[in-house]
Amino acid sequence: MHALTIAKVAVSLGYAVLPYLVIHLAIADRDHPRSVAGRLVLGTVVGLGGVVAAATLTSAVSFPAYLRLHAAAGVAGIACLVWSWTRSSRRWSTPLARRVDLTVLAIVVVAAGVRAAPLLLGGETLGGNDARFHNVLSQKILVEGKLGETWSPIASVPVVYTRGVHVLCAFIAAVSGVSVHEAFNALFPLIGALNVAVVYGIGVALFDSRGAGRLSAAAYAFLPAWGSLDYFRWGGLPNAVGMLLLCAVVWILVLQARTAPDGGLLRQLGTRWAWVGAFLVAATALVHHHSFLVTAIVLCFGVSFAASPGMRAVTLAVGAGGAILASPVLLTSYAAHLGRAGTTSVFQFREPSLTLWDCFVALNPVFVILFAGALATVRRVGWDARRILVLSWFAALLSTFVFFEYVYRAASLLLTAGRDMFTGFTPSRMATDLAYPMAVLCGAAALSDTWRRRRRGATAILVLACAATCTYAIVHQRGIGVYPTIRDAGRWIRENTPPDSLVVGQLPHLEYSAWRECSHPALPASEPRNDPSLAWKRNMRGPAAWREWSLETGREVYFVVPNRVPPPPLYRAYANSDVTIYRVSESGEPRP
Amino acid sequence: MSASVERKLWLVIVVALAVGLLGSVAMILFRDFLARFATSWG
């Protein structure tokens, strides 16, 4: 990927977010954050939620209509801002800190650079594992001009997956001229940088210390692989955006707990910040099912373990408000698909099992040790209501991960009398999400006597650990999703075969490249991927069965086979250095 | 209120870690048996 592509995506993201950022700045309460940079960062996240919500809801009917509406939203935003500034009572009530923390700005820039490095050094990438289906969903919006009901053309089952991030990718692709996979992949460094800035904001608000915030930001930016440095590897952009929204919610709760007047749920629901938090919760429901579930669990823990009536009231207000705002989306999204739950992998998901040691390694031993040291420091400086909220965020993720990874698996083994073992709700992602609360709490280490006494030594060790981790992450992710020969083969299919052709093969990103119905489409766990309309294709054995099906239906079938496997006795239609395409309906000698 | 809530929260974390440790040990001890269920993502 070229640096110019990332720059185009960054400008387009700014254009996408700007109208809602401006509206937020105009109508939100002016009591916090206390710095210009803090308000801009929080406003950008709210703006991201705004564009995701507005674009998704409009694109259910028409995506081109949203492209026109966006300009109108920009005009509305400017009008709001002018209206706001003409009212003297709405001006900044207290002077804002205008100086930008240059250290954290450097951390944010380097974090974006580290996340962009695998893209810049590795060639034209289609993306990590999950990008296989994310690219399809984004491209569908561009091709069909709306969200679309089914996974056509790659599969004929309904789409259950949230489409907030895909609409954003389609929007960026439409306004910048880049392809959707470029938009998807270039968003990793940009969203990653925003995540770092928000973690810094929470750290500063939590410990009333810039040093603590810087350490939180650096720990998050450069140490954990899961939940931070390796998002690109597995294509987890919706998770990254969902966690960004959740982090902003926690930031608001931490700030609100300090400044909001005491009062019950109703009084909190009367504050604008509670509704901003609620809006972000609802936006999560449009971005990522899993992140929404995690947000709901975290807020439930936050309410259950609130250390003050004020914290309980504000957490409950944000959660209840989020549930109210998200309920129409949830009802329309889930109600229609409840009958198909058995054909998804939500409750029977098969992924490699994880020990706590695996998590320790994937989260980075230095990160976990720093976290443990930070917990000891917080014990000394005191667990107030805000810090207990973040600890409950950690406890919520840890206990949910343990339940689904060990208890659920053991139960599945017992209930099937030892014949099968599976898990549910993808517990590995809950362990992935642990990086966020852990990083925030890591900031407390900067308040410890040891850190203060040996600051230079501790910083040097941390910098070395960060450099080693980042180097490994860059090297490990460089070249991921770079499949020029598969893309060429897919392009040949797109340009030379009838639209109703069926492609047999399991090569990565084949669905997106070929844009045809596939025998093994990559679908997420939430989709009805065990539906009979898909399962039969996986059970077909050999060219003879496919030839018979082709004759019966009159549809052409193409085998896409890597050259390393023995060639089937079929007509060779196309070949490049890695991949050969065979047409099933014609047999005979391979084409010279 | 804060101290009591803090204790309960730590109890949740300790229990989760204990269960996780037991599960991890079981996964290591029965690695051969569990290998039959080993699948790739999906």
Side-chain angles (χ1 to χ4, degrees):
Chain A
M1 185 180 286
H2 200 276
L4 186 63
T5 306
I6 298 180
K8 279 185 188 173
V9 172
V11 171
S12 306
L13 180 65
Y15 172 64
V17 164
L18 195 61
Y20 307 97
L21 163 66
V22 170
I23 292 171
H24 167 74
L25 289 177
I27 65 176
D29 284 335
R30 295 284 170 76
D31 43 3
H32 52 66
R34 295 280 185 202
S35 68
V36 173
R39 288 184 187 195
L40 281 177
V41 170
L42 188 53
T44 302
V45 181
V46 176
L48 188 66
V51 67
V52 160
T56 307
L57 298 177
T58 312
S59 300
V61 181
S62 168
F63 174 68
Y66 180 72
L67 291 175
R68 291 188 289 276
L69 273 177
H70 190 77
V75 174
I78 291 166
C80 272
L81 201 62
V82 170
W83 167 79
S84 170
W85 276 93
T86 54
R87 295 180 61 194
S88 56
S89 61
R90 297 283 305 140
R91 287 193 185 136
W92 309 119
S93 52
T94 51
L96 288 174
R98 293 183 186 281
R99 281 186 61 189
V100 175
D101 186 335
L102 292 177
T103 307
V104 83
L105 182 64
I107 291 172
V108 168
V109 170
V110 175
V114 168
R115 284 153 179 77
L119 303 172
L120 297 171
L121 301 174
E124 183 68 31
T125 175
L126 291 170
N129 295 345
D130 288 5
R132 288 178 68 174
F133 54 80
H134 292 312
N135 289 339
V136 170
L137 287 176
S138 302
Q139 184 69 15
K140 266 173 66 66
I141 295 166
L142 281 186
V143 171
E144 297 178 14
K146 58 181 182 175
L147 298 184
E149 299 288 321
T150 71
W151 280 87
S152 67
I154 71 161
S156 53
V157 292
V159 180
V160 184
Y161 207 85
T162 50
R163 252 84 63 86
V165 165
H166 311 96
V167 175
L168 181 66
C169 290
F171 179 87
I172 289 171
V175 299
S176 69
V178 305
S179 54
V180 290
H181 67 267
E182 288 174 324
F184 182 84
N185 292 313
L187 279 173
F188 282 104
L190 304 172
I191 297 297
L194 266 177
N195 269 323
V196 173
V198 173
V199 165
Y200 169 76
I202 306 174
V204 172
L206 199 63
F207 300 111
D208 305 311
S209 157
R210 279 191 174 192
R214 286 175 195 149
L215 187 55
S216 295
Y220 172 74
F222 307 123
L223 286 177
W226 278 1
S228 174
L229 287 166
D230 84 337
Y231 268 125
F232 167 64
R233 178 189 58 78
W234 61 276
L237 188 64
N239 183 287
V241 176
M243 286 301 108
L244 176 65
L245 297 172
L246 172 57
C247 285
V249 169
V250 173
W251 193 6
I252 288 171
L253 291 177
V254 169
L255 291 168
Q256 190 71 350
R258 190 169 55 176
T259 58
D262 282 340
L265 172 64
L266 289 177
R267 188 161 179 189
Q268 291 294 343
L269 276 173
T271 64
R272 289 182 187 162
W273 276 115
W275 286 103
V276 172
F279 169 71
L280 292 172
V281 171
T284 313
L286 294 169
V287 164
H288 196 216
H289 290 138
H290 179 90
S291 297
F292 182 71
L293 176 70
V294 162
T295 301
I297 294 169
V298 168
L299 290 176
C300 284
F301 264 68
V303 171
S304 306
F305 294 98
S308 71
M311 180 55 89
R312 175 167 291 131
V314 69
T315 311
L316 194 57
V318 167
I324 291 167
L325 292 180
S327 54
V329 174
L330 295 176
L331 285 173
T332 51
S333 298
Y334 293 119
H337 302 295
L338 278 179
R340 292 192 194 87
T343 63
T344 71
S345 302
V346 173
F347 304 108
Q348 288 192 28
F349 189 65
R350 287 165 178 82
E351 65 174 349
S353 52
L354 290 168
T355 62
L356 288 186
W357 176 257
D358 296 328
C359 300
F360 178 69
V361 172
L363 281 167
N364 191 341
V366 177
F367 180 67
V368 180
I369 290 167
L370 182 67
F371 171 67
L375 287 181
T377 306
V378 186
R379 192 173 173 79
R380 189 178 58 75
V381 298
W383 285 101
D384 64 13
R386 297 167 298 164
R387 293 164 192 164
I388 285 180
L389 173 78
V390 178
L391 187 67
S392 68
W393 179 11
F394 169 76
L397 290 170
L398 178 70
S399 51
T400 314
F401 163 72
V402 164
F403 175 79
F404 284 110
E405 184 60 40
Y406 305 109
V407 180
Y408 196 99
R409 271 188 201 275
S412 75
L413 202 57
L414 284 174
L415 291 173
T416 60
R419 287 190 302 273
D420 199 1
M421 186 180 73
F422 46 82
T423 181
F425 295 99
T426 330
S428 60
R429 299 291 177 250
M430 289 162 186
T432 299
D433 300 340
L434 277 170
Y436 294 88
M438 288 174 74
V440 170
L441 289 169
C442 274
L447 306 176
S448 69
D449 294 334
T450 313
W451 185 277
R452 284 176 175 157
R453 275 201 310 271
R454 300 173 182 169
R455 191 171 170 175
R456 282 189 180 175
T459 308
I461 291 170
L462 188 66
V463 168
L464 275 176
C466 290
T469 308
C470 291
T471 306
Y472 177 78
I474 292 168
V475 171
H476 188 59
Q477 295 184 91
R478 185 169 166 256
I480 279 179
V482 180
Y483 300 111
T485 50
I486 295 175
R487 287 186 71 187
D488 289 345
R491 189 179 299 120
W492 183 90
I493 290 174
R494 226 169 41 233
E495 292 171 354
N496 296 282
T497 67
D500 69 343
S501 305
L502 194 142
V503 174
V504 179
Q506 299 189 55
L507 296 174
H509 296 282
L510 185 59
E511 312 88 337
Y512 173 64
S513 304
W515 209 246
R516 294 286 182 270
E517 183 177 347
C518 290
S519 61
H520 294 75
L523 298 182
S526 59
E527 307 307 290
R529 58 189 188 184
N530 300 319
D531 190 88
S533 68
L534 296 180
W536 71 267
K537 286 182 264 188
R538 292 195 291 270
N539 298 327
M540 290 283 268
R541 290 287 175 264
W546 279 111
R547 185 179 290 120
E548 193 177 327
W549 181 85
S550 176
L551 286 171
E552 278 176 14
T553 59
R555 292 172 61 185
E556 291 187 5
V557 177
Y558 292 86
F559 274 40
V560 184
V561 182
N563 292 346
R564 65 176 181 275
V565 303
L570 295 169
Y571 178 79
R572 195 174 72 184
Y574 167 90
N576 61 35
S577 58
D578 288 327
V579 178
T580 303
I581 300 172
Y582 297 92
R583 187 154 59 213
V584 168
S585 51
E586 294 178 51
S587 59
E589 290 301 310
R591 181 186 283 180
Chain B
M1 185 178 184
S2 178
S4 153
V5 169
E6 188 194 330
R7 270 198 300 277
K8 285 179 192 166
L9 204 49
W10 279 113
L11 186 65
V12 170
I13 292 170
V14 169
V15 168
L17 283 174
V19 173
L21 204 61
L22 275 176
S24 301
V25 170
M27 277 180 180
I28 293 165
L29 287 178
F30 300 105
R31 190 187 298 270
D32 292 340
F33 171 71
L34 297 177
R36 73 179 67 179
F37 307 115
T39 55
S40 57
W41 296 86

